[in-house]
């Protein structure tokens, strides 16, 4: 891990690192907030997965999470949204919803994506091993995210029982096998076998496994992606069928932006704190 920058915030440290990723076969950058408690003891960590077009810097600069994380003694681990570098392929048309900035937190099996686009293994395996060896973290984890990152957070929590104490999401892509964003990403990264798509679909995973860690989902009712892309009602029906411990909150007037995240990030952090302590 090579430190690129460090800034003091709320008594803690906002740091940006880079490292050579064996999983993604490229140089990756990620951001970390260490609360002041990390100066004297190991602390739990919330992994935050960002959405389409984002990097590791969007959440750290826009969400306003550091103040409450500092109070609660929670580290924030904020990875990028896709592999990066001159050798990493991108969408031929430069579309925002596929390729660079749009890794969809899957392990790609199709060429030319399979060499680099293994964001699922990077988040679940490589990144935790890296930061937990190098930073004062106690290996108690939870996970959260926004939009494409909310999809990734839910999928990782549902597929890795016991790894995360709880999970939350802002405006997640709840049923990607049934929406245009998911169709484009999954057909490109995973191919035409739709049975492989279901391994990265939170609604389908919940119906299959019928268990989940404590879950909080926040959705804005003025979100322009709500009906076509996000499909929270599908997840709500799966929650009702399985009876898992989960809450979906609908907020009138809020859209898909970081203003929405900033408005409710404190609630989410306090939700995570209950299970991380």
């Amino acid at each position: 891990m090579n430190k690129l920058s460090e800034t003091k915030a709320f008594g803690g440290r906002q740091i940006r690192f880079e490292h050579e990723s064996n999983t993604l076969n490229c140089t990756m950058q990620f951001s970390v907030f260490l609360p002041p408690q990390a100066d004297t003891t190991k602390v739990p960590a919330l992994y935050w997965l960002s959405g389409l077009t984002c990097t590791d810097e969007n959440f750290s600069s826009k969400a306003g999470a550091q103040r409450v994380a500092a109070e609660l003694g929670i580290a924030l681990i904020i990875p990028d949204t896709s592999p990066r570098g001159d050798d990493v392929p991108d969408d031929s048309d430069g579309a925002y919803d596929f390729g660079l900035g749009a890794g969809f937190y899957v392990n790609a099996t199709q060429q030319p994506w399979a060499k680099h686009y293994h964001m699922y293994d990077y988040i679940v395996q490589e990144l935790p091993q890296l930061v937990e060896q190098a930073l004062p973290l106690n290996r108690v984890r939870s996970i959260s995210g926004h939009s494409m990152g909310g999809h990734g957070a839910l999928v990782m929590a549902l597929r890795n029982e016991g790894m995360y104490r709880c999970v939350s999401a802002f405006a997640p892509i709840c049923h990607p096998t049934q929406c245009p964003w998911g169709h484009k990403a999954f057909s490109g990264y995973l191919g035409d076998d739709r049975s492989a798509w279901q391994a990265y679909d939170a609604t389908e995973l919940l119906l299959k496994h019928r268990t989940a860690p404590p879950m909080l989902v926040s959705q804005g009712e003025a979100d322009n992606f709500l009906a076509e892309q996000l499909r929270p009602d599908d997840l709500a029906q799966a929650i009702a069928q399985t009876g898992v411990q989960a809450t979906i909150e609908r907020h009138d007037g809020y859209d898909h932006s970081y203003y929405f995240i900033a408005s409710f990030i404190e609630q989410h952090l306090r939700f995570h704190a209950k299970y991380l302590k």
Side-chain angles (χ1 to χ4, degrees):
M1 287 168 51
N2 177 37
K3 186 188 297 185
L4 300 177
S5 64
E6 179 174 333
T7 303
K8 191 163 186 176
F10 299 100
R13 295 180 288 155
Q14 183 68 45
I15 313 171
R16 198 167 191 231
F17 294 100
E18 71 175 5
H19 75 108
E20 297 301 318
S21 169
N22 294 323
T23 302
L24 304 178
N25 294 297
C26 65
T27 302
M28 290 296 287
Q29 297 180 344
F30 64 94
S31 294
V32 173
F33 175 71
L34 292 176
Q37 295 87 338
D39 291 342
T40 57
T41 189
K42 292 184 176 181
V43 297
L46 169 66
Y47 287 75
W48 172 270
L49 308 185
S50 296
L52 290 166
T53 75
C54 290
T55 70
D56 59 293
E57 294 188 292
N58 294 76
F59 179 77
S60 61
S61 63
K62 295 181 178 180
Q66 291 89 344
R67 176 183 62 83
V68 181
E71 174 196 333
L72 298 173
I74 298 173
L76 306 174
I77 312 298
I78 312 162
D80 204 344
T81 52
S82 78
R84 306 277 180 177
D86 294 339
D87 296 333
V88 177
D90 193 9
D91 183 82
S92 59
D93 297 324
Y96 77 94
D97 54 357
F98 191 80
L100 297 183
F104 265 85
Y105 303 102
V106 303
N107 289 336
T109 57
Q110 304 300 300
Q111 298 301 334
W113 318 103
K115 179 180 179 181
H116 297 284
Y117 283 77
H118 286 256
M119 288 299 295
Y120 178 89
D121 280 352
Y122 177 70
I123 303 299
V124 172
Q125 298 178 11
E126 185 176 22
L127 186 61
Q129 292 174 5
L130 181 72
V131 297
E132 288 172 359
Q133 289 175 2
L135 300 174
L137 305 177
N138 64 10
R139 301 189 179 185
V140 177
R141 313 173 196 92
S142 65
I143 193 165
S144 184
H146 171 231
S147 192
M148 176 185 74
H151 138 76
L154 292 173
V155 165
M156 291 173 192
L158 291 169
R159 285 181 57 174
N160 296 277
E161 185 176 0
M163 182 171 182
Y164 305 103
R165 294 285 180 88
C166 57
V167 59
S168 76
F170 291 83
I173 305 171
C174 295
H175 208 173
T177 60
Q178 304 299 318
C179 77
W181 276 343
H183 287 180
K184 180 175 182 178
F186 290 173
S187 61
Y189 294 134
L190 304 174
D192 295 329
D193 180 4
R194 296 203 173 197
S195 63
W197 298 10
Q198 295 189 357
Y200 300 101
D201 186 310
T203 297
E204 299 296 332
L205 287 167
L206 184 55
L207 290 171
K208 178 181 179 181
H209 297 300
R210 308 186 72 83
T211 185
M215 180 189 305
L216 171 64
V217 175
S218 294
Q219 175 63 59
E221 294 283 25
D223 192 319
N224 57 321
F225 301 115
L226 177 59
E228 182 180 31
Q229 303 285 14
L230 305 181
R231 302 180 68 94
D233 290 341
D234 295 4
L235 182 63
Q237 291 174 10
I239 290 169
Q241 288 182 41
T242 57
V244 300
Q245 183 182 347
T247 300
I248 297 182
E249 296 185 346
R250 307 290 284 257
H251 298 283
D252 185 53
Y254 286 91
D255 62 13
H256 199 71
S257 71
Y258 263 84
Y259 293 111
F260 171 49
I261 298 171
S263 298
F264 296 98
I265 190 63
E266 179 170 353
Q267 177 199 11
H268 279 241
L269 287 169
R270 296 193 184 282
F271 164 80
H272 286 276
K274 290 190 300 183
Y275 300 99
L276 289 172
K277 297 296 186 181

